[in-house]
Coordinates of all heavy atoms in Angstrom, one line a residue:
G3 N 9.4 -92.9 -115.0 CA 8.1 -93.6 -115.3 C 8.0 -94.9 -114.3 O 7.1 -95.5 -114.5
G4 N 8.9 -95.1 -113.4 CA 8.8 -96.2 -112.5 C 9.0 -97.5 -113.1 O 9.0 -98.5 -112.5
E5 N 9.7 -97.5 -114.4 CA 10.0 -98.7 -115.0 C 11.2 -99.5 -114.5 O 11.5 -100.6 -114.9 CB 10.1 -98.5 -116.5 CG 11.3 -97.6 -117.0 CD 11.2 -96.1 -116.9 OE1 10.1 -95.8 -116.3 OE2 12.0 -95.4 -117.5
S6 N 12.1 -98.7 -113.8 CA 13.4 -99.3 -113.3 C 13.7 -98.8 -112.0 O 13.5 -97.6 -111.7 CB 14.5 -99.1 -114.3 OG 15.6 -99.6 -113.9
T7 N 14.2 -99.7 -111.2 CA 14.6 -99.2 -109.8 C 15.8 -99.9 -109.4 O 16.3 -100.9 -110.0 CB 13.5 -99.7 -108.7 OG1 13.4 -101.1 -108.8 CG2 12.1 -99.2 -109.0
S8 N 16.5 -99.3 -108.5 CA 17.8 -99.8 -108.0 C 18.0 -99.6 -106.5 O 17.3 -98.6 -106.0 CB 19.0 -99.2 -108.8 OG 19.0 -97.7 -108.7
Y9 N 18.7 -100.3 -105.8 CA 18.9 -100.3 -104.4 C 20.4 -100.4 -104.0 O 21.2 -101.1 -104.6 CB 18.1 -101.3 -103.8 CG 16.6 -101.3 -104.1 CD1 16.1 -102.0 -105.2 CD2 15.8 -100.5 -103.3 CE1 14.8 -101.8 -105.5 CE2 14.4 -100.4 -103.6 CZ 14.0 -101.1 -104.7 OH 12.6 -101.1 -105.0
A10 N 20.7 -99.8 -102.8 CA 21.9 -100.0 -102.2 C 22.0 -101.6 -101.7 O 20.9 -102.1 -101.3 CB 22.1 -99.2 -101.1
D11 N 23.1 -102.1 -101.6 CA 23.1 -103.6 -101.2 C 22.6 -103.7 -99.8 O 22.0 -104.7 -99.4 CB 24.6 -104.1 -101.3 CG 25.0 -104.3 -102.7 OD1 24.2 -104.4 -103.6 OD2 26.2 -104.4 -102.8
S12 N 22.8 -102.7 -99.0 CA 22.5 -102.8 -97.6 C 20.9 -102.9 -97.4 O 20.4 -103.4 -96.3 CB 22.9 -101.7 -96.9 OG 22.5 -100.3 -97.3
V13 N 20.1 -102.5 -98.4 CA 18.6 -102.6 -98.4 C 18.0 -103.5 -99.2 O 16.8 -103.6 -99.1 CB 18.0 -101.2 -98.4 CG1 18.8 -100.2 -97.3 CG2 18.2 -100.5 -99.7
K14 N 18.8 -103.9 -100.2 CA 18.2 -104.8 -101.3 C 17.4 -106.1 -100.6 O 17.9 -106.7 -99.9 CB 19.2 -105.2 -102.1 CG 18.8 -105.7 -103.6 CD 20.0 -106.0 -104.5 CE 20.7 -104.7 -104.7 NZ 21.8 -104.9 -105.7
G15 N 16.3 -106.2 -101.2 CA 15.3 -107.3 -100.5 C 14.5 -106.9 -99.5 O 13.5 -107.7 -99.2
R16 N 14.7 -105.8 -98.9 CA 14.0 -105.3 -97.7 C 13.2 -104.2 -98.0 O 12.0 -103.9 -97.5 CB 15.0 -105.1 -96.5 CG 15.6 -106.3 -96.1 CD 16.4 -106.0 -94.7 NE 17.3 -105.0 -94.9 CZ 17.4 -103.7 -94.3 NH1 16.5 -103.5 -93.3 NH2 18.4 -102.9 -94.5
F17 N 13.7 -103.2 -98.8 CA 13.1 -101.9 -99.1 C 12.5 -102.0 -100.6 O 13.1 -102.6 -101.4 CB 14.1 -100.8 -99.1 CG 14.5 -100.4 -97.6 CD1 14.2 -101.3 -96.6 CD2 15.2 -99.3 -97.4 CE1 14.6 -100.9 -95.3 CE2 15.7 -98.9 -96.2 CZ 15.3 -99.7 -95.1
T18 N 11.4 -101.2 -100.8 CA 10.9 -101.1 -102.2 C 10.5 -99.7 -102.5 O 9.8 -99.0 -101.7 CB 9.7 -101.9 -102.3 OG1 9.9 -103.4 -102.0 CG2 9.0 -101.9 -103.7
I19 N 11.1 -99.1 -103.6 CA 10.7 -97.7 -103.9 C 9.7 -97.8 -104.9 O 9.6 -98.7 -105.8 CB 12.0 -97.1 -104.5 CG1 11.8 -95.6 -104.7 CG2 12.5 -97.7 -105.7 CD1 13.0 -94.8 -105.0
S20 N 8.7 -97.0 -104.9 CA 7.8 -96.8 -105.9 C 7.3 -95.4 -106.1 O 7.8 -94.5 -105.2 CB 6.5 -97.7 -105.5 OG 6.0 -97.1 -104.2
R21 N 6.4 -95.1 -107.1 CA 6.0 -93.7 -107.3 C 4.7 -93.8 -108.0 O 4.3 -94.7 -108.6 CB 6.9 -92.9 -108.2 CG 7.1 -93.5 -109.4 CD 8.3 -92.8 -110.3 NE 8.1 -91.4 -110.4 CZ 9.0 -90.4 -110.7 NH1 10.3 -90.9 -110.8 NH2 8.8 -89.2 -110.9
D22 N 3.9 -92.7 -107.7 CA 2.7 -92.5 -108.5 C 2.6 -91.2 -109.0 O 2.4 -90.1 -108.3 CB 1.5 -92.6 -107.3 CG 0.1 -92.5 -108.0 OD1 -0.1 -92.0 -109.1 OD2 -0.9 -93.1 -107.4
N23 N 2.9 -91.1 -110.3 CA 3.0 -89.8 -111.0 C 1.7 -89.0 -111.1 O 1.8 -87.7 -111.1 CB 3.6 -90.1 -112.5 CG 5.0 -90.3 -112.4 OD1 5.8 -90.2 -111.4 ND2 5.5 -91.0 -113.5
A24 N 0.6 -89.7 -111.0 CA -0.6 -88.9 -111.1 C -0.8 -88.2 -109.8 O -1.4 -87.1 -109.8 CB -1.8 -89.9 -111.4
K25 N -0.4 -88.7 -108.7 CA -0.5 -88.2 -107.4 C 0.8 -87.4 -106.9 O 0.8 -86.7 -105.9 CB -0.8 -89.2 -106.3 CG -2.0 -89.9 -106.5 CD -2.4 -91.0 -105.4 CE -3.6 -91.6 -105.5 NZ -3.8 -92.8 -104.5
K26 N 1.8 -87.4 -107.9 CA 3.0 -86.7 -107.6 C 3.7 -87.1 -106.2 O 4.1 -86.3 -105.4 CB 3.0 -85.2 -107.6 CG 2.4 -84.6 -109.0 CD 2.3 -83.2 -109.1 CE 3.6 -82.6 -109.2 NZ 3.6 -81.1 -109.4
M27 N 3.6 -88.5 -106.0 CA 4.1 -89.0 -104.7 C 5.1 -90.0 -105.0 O 5.1 -90.9 -106.0 CB 2.8 -89.7 -103.9 CG 1.9 -88.7 -103.5 SD 2.4 -87.7 -102.2 CE 2.5 -88.9 -100.9
Q28 N 6.1 -90.2 -104.1 CA 7.2 -91.1 -104.1 C 7.1 -91.8 -102.8 O 6.7 -91.2 -101.7 CB 8.6 -90.5 -104.3 CG 9.7 -91.4 -104.3 CD 11.1 -90.9 -104.2 OE1 11.0 -89.6 -104.2 NE2 12.1 -91.6 -104.0

């Protein structure tokens, strides 16, 4: 549901993951 995200330490603070379930896109 996009309610929680996690990141590798190497990218934390620089990368952002997201999704749009209606569009079936990540």
Side-chain angles (χ1 to χ4, degrees):
E5 70 276 12
S6 181
T7 60
S8 57
Y9 300 89
D11 287 343
S12 59
V13 307
K14 196 171 297 180
R16 300 188 297 118
F17 291 10
T18 302
I19 190 171
S20 62
R21 66 191 294 161
D22 185 333
N23 285 343
K25 296 180 179 179
K26 301 183 72 172
M27 294 288 291
Q28 180 191 352

